[in-house]
Amino acid sequence: MGKLTAVMVKALRHDPAKGKRPVRFGDGDGLYLQIAPGTNGDTKSWLLRFTLHGKAREMGLGPVGELPAGIPLAEARKRAAAARAILAAGHDPIEERQPGAREQQAQRKAAAEAGARTFRIVAAACIKAEEPGWKNKRTALLWTSSLENHAYPTLGDWPVAEIDRAKVREAIDAVWTSAPSIGRKVLRRIATVLRYAAAHGWRANDNPADAKMLRYAGLPPLPGGRKQPSLPWARTPAFLTALDKLDGASALALRFLILTALRSGEVRQARWSWVSIDGTPTLTVPGEVMKGKKSGEVQPHRVPLPPAALEVLVHAYAFATAGKATAAELPRLAALRGDALIFPSAKRGVPLSDMALSAVLRRMNSDRPKGRPAPWRDADGRDAVPHGFRATFSTWVDDICPEEREAAERALAHEIGNRVSGAYRRSDLFDRRTPLMAAWAEHCTRKPTIAASSVRSRRSAKAAT
């Protein structure tokens, strides 16, 4: 049968052979004339069939007849076309004809999406998006662990769009006062996740994890942060003498860290290919290894190696290869070792863990008579830590040769505070740092301390040549 006509609509009747089951006559594009038997004659109505989300649906368009009580063929076709247009726009034409149906549908959709965008799910997406920019694979694990322990119990299943300051404070209240350093990290990470959600339009761009705003909302202030405990510089020679009694890559790495003022991660990841003995012996730390930086954001850090540091390299080679070496052989040996780690862990090809150097210090402090304080501690009585030796070096510079403060900042690989100034001041002051690090190494190894005037005279003599 082709398309219906007005005459056909009026003439068609129900087939008694069909019993009580309605019969349908198609007009095309899903529009049907439906005829059902009744006690007082046939009942005729219009029906639109369509598919939505893979499911067959049927929509009644009204009884057959003349307007306003009934609907003629032409009007049925208009209503079917309007319904198909709604369907093409991705909406349900059955729901659309209800008062406020579109608004209700939007609300239901938003609620469903909000349920799927809980803080836990958005945090996982945020970590995945940020991970390629993190130089250390452990960073993602640390983020996940801290959020699981301190954020997810309160925020994990909460829609990210509904998280407010009260909810954030509820999440961090306990850790904020019991472990302030962890509390700060957790709060910063929550803030990052919420910024990520706002950037994708999943919540308002009012970050309830803003620490200053939370302070105004009643979050208690934390006590001033204490610096990393550092050994007084006058005690460094005695410490290195005691350290000489310990064997292993960790003890050698700690000694090298002290003599070079490097960070623990830079020492643990150091490779023989970074060493150059031609001219001034140098260790060059690649930009991607520097603290918290991407390789494109920071220049490699050159570290002048005094004789005492070269001696550590000789011992490190002997430890790693079970062979013998001398300082004179280092250029050849460094080339032979290539990209191998200078201070390898027991697992081949794997750097020492971030706790390896700390374990050496704990071992040295634990070897004391019961009841006696730790021998290697800061002025407050706290046990010294590896990172604190950078402060030890910095304090030595302030006390012995304060005019080399700027060179010391470069030795510590600190950024210049003013970004505009830093963009133009690109010298790493390597020539000034070479005698400075030699003087520091001589102090640490109990050689006569070179006075500040001596450091200045070396620099002046080098400049004159």
Side-chain angles (χ1 to χ4, degrees), residues 175-195:
V175 70
W176 186 255
T177 52
S178 64
S181 61
I182 297 176
R184 290 188 183 96
K185 290 180 181 178
V186 172
L187 184 59
R188 285 197 299 268
R189 290 165 184 173
I190 292 173
T192 299
V193 172
L194 296 181
R195 277 195 296 272

Side-chain angles (χ1 to χ4, degrees), residues 133-136 139 262-271 273-274 283-301 303 339 341 351 390 412-413:
W134 291 330
K135 65 174 186 176
N136 194 328
T139 303
L262 284 168
R263 298 180 178 92
S264 171
E266 296 157 5
V267 171
R268 291 184 289 104
Q269 297 180 68
R271 299 180 181 274
S273 56
W274 301 1
L283 179 85
T284 302
V285 183
E288 61 267 21
V289 179
M290 301 302 293
K291 178 187 178 185
K293 300 296 177 185
K294 298 177 185 177
S295 58
E297 296 177 348
V298 67
Q299 294 298 314
H301 177 49
V303 183
D339 204 40
L341 291 163
R390 286 166 57 83
L412 293 166

Side-chain angles (χ1 to χ4, degrees), residues 56-278:
R57 304 286 300 279
E58 294 182 351
M59 176 181 178
L61 298 179
V64 174
E66 297 299 321
L67 293 172
I71 300 172
L73 175 60
E75 178 64 20
R77 286 172 176 169
K78 288 181 182 179
R79 295 191 180 189
R84 285 192 292 268
I86 293 172
L87 184 65
H91 303 293
D92 187 342
I94 296 176
E95 292 188 352
E96 284 284 319
R97 64 185 178 184
Q98 301 298 326
R102 182 166 293 187
E103 291 75 12
Q104 293 174 11
Q105 187 177 11
Q107 291 173 0
R108 285 195 295 272
K109 183 178 179 181
E113 290 179 347
R117 292 184 184 126
T118 62
F119 182 84
R120 186 192 310 272
I121 291 173
V122 173
C126 176
I127 292 171
K128 185 177 181 180
E130 293 288 330
E131 191 171 4
W134 291 330
K135 65 174 186 176
N136 194 328
K137 293 182 179 180
R138 290 188 68 252
T139 303
L141 297 176
L142 293 173
W143 269 62
T144 302
S145 176
S146 65
L147 292 176
E148 283 180 348
N149 291 331
H150 306 292
Y152 291 168
T154 302
L155 303 177
D157 298 326
W158 206 263
V160 73
E162 299 179 17
I163 294 175
D164 56 15
R165 288 185 180 84
K167 205 68 182 174
V168 172
R169 182 177 172 184
E170 180 185 345
I172 67 166
D173 256 348
V175 70
W176 186 255
T177 52
S178 64
S181 61
I182 297 176
R184 290 188 183 96
K185 290 180 181 178
V186 172
L187 184 59
R188 285 197 299 268
R189 290 165 184 173
I190 292 173
T192 299
V193 172
L194 296 181
R195 277 195 296 272
Y196 177 85
H200 285 77
W202 299 336
R203 62 166 290 112
N205 192 21
D206 171 27
N207 202 321
D210 182 290
K212 292 182 179 179
M213 295 292 285
L214 283 170
R215 285 284 304 279
Y216 294 133
L219 187 70
L222 294 178
R226 301 179 73 186
K227 304 300 183 182
Q228 296 270 22
S230 60
L231 192 70
W233 62 262
R235 295 274 290 148
T236 310
F239 179 82
L240 261 66
T241 299
L243 184 60
D244 278 341
K245 299 176 183 178
L246 300 182
D247 296 324
S250 299
L252 289 170
L254 180 58
R255 186 179 185 87
F256 193 76
L257 174 147
I258 295 169
L259 294 171
T260 57
L262 284 168
R263 298 180 178 92
S264 171
E266 296 157 5
V267 171
R268 291 184 289 104
Q269 297 180 68
R271 299 180 181 274
W272 286 100
S273 56
W274 301 1
V275 177
S276 173
I277 311 297
D278 297 334

